Amino acid sequence: AKGKSRPLTFTQAVNRSVRYLVSVAGDKSIGSYVREDANNLRDALIAKGLSRASIKRTLSVLRASINFTTRELGLKDIKVFSGVYLGEPEALTHTTRRPIPIKDVYKVQTLCRELDDEPRWLIALISDTGMRLSEASGLIVEDIKLDDIHPHILLRPHPWRRLKTQSSERIVPLDGASLWAAKRALEATSNKFLFPRYCDEVRCKGNSASAALNKWLSSRVPSGCVVHSFRHSFRDRLRAVECPPDIVDRLGGWSVEGVGETYGDGYPLGVLSKWIKNIQDFQ
């Protein structure tokens, strides 16, 4: 019911979470699970080496699945998987994504221009926009606006690729390597998708894109840095030019707070583009 309009990764996450539970506590009716089952699952996932975020996500998926089922079937609420204690953060494996140093960002961008192919266009596009990999790989030709005085992307949800949050839908100014990449991808595509290798009408192939791009990046950036690290670098680069925090959040699609943020139409494109240009000029 929930997976019909969602990507394959949604169903995979649900199946994986259920598989974890069944392997630890057995395949029982949902009303038969007890708190001990939830705690045993937590302990098994810790022993397996999963990160705190992954364990939290697994429990959240199970909780959401059970809550949906109880509502649909008119059953009593089942709270077994709510509020499971995960221990102190340092007790679990936690991976922090490191930002890519600016000198390495420039080095990767230079290599992308030299190789000049679809995977490198995707990396270059992300490097100067801070977009998530799924956001960039799911773009279509109509999302790219190069004829405007301020070239930009209209980042919006599509049937094959949802956006992570409501604030993820935004205008993304283009400059530097990202503008070059958008132009090259537009010139090369033979259909409506900007990156047809990684996206089609059915789904956005985020996992395969991530594996391929991270493999190429691994020897060209410091240890611990991945494609998503460009997003961390993007925020640092905006901080370095003293970009106002609310504009930083708008540019990166991070959640914004405060009642005032719900008023008006937001910053003009020219203002957003100015700050993207500023990070190009900053060394």
Side-chain angles (χ1 to χ4, degrees):
K2 288 281 189 176
K4 289 178 180 176
S5 61
R6 303 201 183 194
L8 180 61
T9 51
F10 174 84
T11 304
Q12 290 173 334
V14 174
N15 290 340
R16 181 168 55 249
S17 298
V18 171
R19 188 170 64 251
Y20 284 152
L21 174 61
V22 171
S23 68
V24 171
D27 187 358
K28 304 185 286 190
S29 65
I30 60 173
S32 300
Y33 290 103
V34 296
R35 191 50 170 235
E36 184 180 6
D37 294 326
N39 291 339
N40 287 340
L41 174 61
R42 172 202 61 201
D43 295 343
L45 295 179
I46 292 175
K48 191 178 178 68
L50 267 66
S51 69
R52 182 186 184 88
S54 294
I55 296 172
K56 197 172 182 180
R57 187 163 51 248
T58 296
L59 293 170
S60 176
V61 168
L62 289 170
R63 187 165 59 249
S65 300
I66 289 174
N67 288 343
F68 176 77
T69 303
T70 56
R71 287 195 302 271
E72 288 293 291
L73 299 181
L75 304 176
K76 292 182 179 180
D77 288 344
I78 299 171
K79 302 295 185 182
V80 170
F81 297 95
S82 298
V84 176
Y85 177 63
L86 296 180
E88 296 303 316
E90 61 269 21
L92 297 175
T93 302
H94 180 68
T95 302
T96 301
R97 296 301 182 201
R98 295 178 53 196
I100 300 173
I102 188 61
K103 63 180 181 63
D104 293 301
V105 171
Y106 292 151
K107 179 180 73 175
V108 169
Q109 289 176 341
T110 299
L111 291 171
C112 287
R113 290 178 186 270
E114 291 174 357
L115 291 173
D116 197 16
D117 60 7
E118 188 173 341
R120 260 48 65 175
W121 302 333
L122 182 51
I123 289 175
L125 183 65
I126 290 170
S127 70
D128 273 343
T129 60
M131 285 193 292
R132 300 175 179 91
L133 177 57
S134 61
E135 292 175 342
S137 57
L139 292 169
I140 58 174
V141 171
E142 292 180 0
D143 295 331
I144 314 301
K145 308 298 179 183
L146 297 185
D147 294 334
D148 193 280
I149 188 172
H150 301 293
H152 62 280
I153 293 171
L154 290 179
L155 187 54
R156 51 196 173 180
H158 292 299
W160 51 85
R161 187 263 286 127
R162 294 186 173 200
L163 296 179
K164 186 174 182 180
T165 64
Q166 186 175 355
S167 56
S168 297
E169 187 169 354
R170 62 194 187 276
I171 295 175
V172 180
L174 293 170
D175 205 334
S178 65
L179 179 57
W180 167 81
K183 289 178 178 177
R184 293 293 296 119
L186 277 176
E187 291 168 357
T189 187
S190 58
N191 58 40
K192 71 177 184 179
F193 293 99
L194 195 64
F195 300 104
R197 177 182 299 193
Y198 301 117
C199 192
D200 56 34
E201 294 279 1
V202 179
R203 62 192 174 98
C204 184
K205 306 166 188 175
N207 288 341
S208 59
S210 177
L213 300 186
N214 283 326
K215 182 178 180 180
W216 181 81
L217 269 179
S218 62
S219 62
R220 296 168 174 85
V221 293
S223 176
C225 293
V226 294
V227 170
H228 193 72
S229 298
F230 283 114
R231 187 163 166 80
H232 292 255
S233 301
F234 181 71
R235 192 166 186 110
D236 274 350
R237 293 166 71 190
L238 288 168
R239 289 187 183 111
V241 295
E242 300 179 346
C243 181
D246 56 332
I247 295 183
V248 173
D249 289 336
R250 292 293 183 189
L251 288 169
W254 287 287
S255 298
V256 292
E257 298 180 356
V259 175
E261 292 296 335
T262 64
Y263 285 69
D265 294 327
Y267 287 98
L269 175 56
V271 173
L272 298 176
S273 296
K274 178 186 75 172
W275 289 103
I276 294 298
K277 181 172 178 55
N278 284 350
I279 67 173
Q280 301 298 327
D281 298 334
F282 182 80
Q283 299 292 329

